[in-house]
Amino acid sequence: GGVSVLFDAATNLDGRLELFGLDGAGAVVHQFQWPSGAWSAWERLGGPGVYAAAAGVNPDGRMELFGVDRSGTLVHSWQTPTSGNGWSGWAAFTGTYIGEPSVVTRSDGLLE
């Protein structure tokens, strides 16, 4: 599988890039750089399809992806520290959202 819409990129703590997008079926996919500089294949992150998403990097270097699914629910998934390039399942926030999410890093390094 490939990507039909690219929606964000983020940098791992070690400086490697990771790209996020949607595939032709509307599933969230990602592709990352290996330490050699080569790129992985596109992989599905599972969970709900989203129409918009944004990526951020937590203070410990783990990336976190935020998206709005088709029902207007804000969802997120984050890198798990014990599995290299592994990701958590998707978790939902309460409420309904309109528009596209964005992520900023506060002066204390936390995401908002």
Side-chain angles (χ1 to χ4, degrees), residues 14-29:
D14 63 6
R16 294 180 299 123
L17 293 173
E18 187 146 355
L19 304 175
F20 301 95
L22 296 175
D23 68 11
V28 177
V29 294

Side-chain angles (χ1 to χ4, degrees), residues 24-80:
V28 177
V29 294
H30 72 124
Q31 183 180 47
F32 56 89
Q33 275 184 311
W34 291 103
S36 67
W39 286 88
S40 72
W42 287 100
E43 297 177 350
R44 284 186 168 202
L45 288 178
V50 298
Y51 69 84
V57 180
N58 286 293
D60 63 1
R62 290 176 305 109
M63 288 182 283
E64 191 157 356
L65 182 64
F66 298 86
V68 178
D69 70 13
R70 306 249 182 255
S71 70
T73 302
L74 182 65
V75 294
H76 68 129
S77 179
W78 54 93
Q79 277 185 314
T80 56

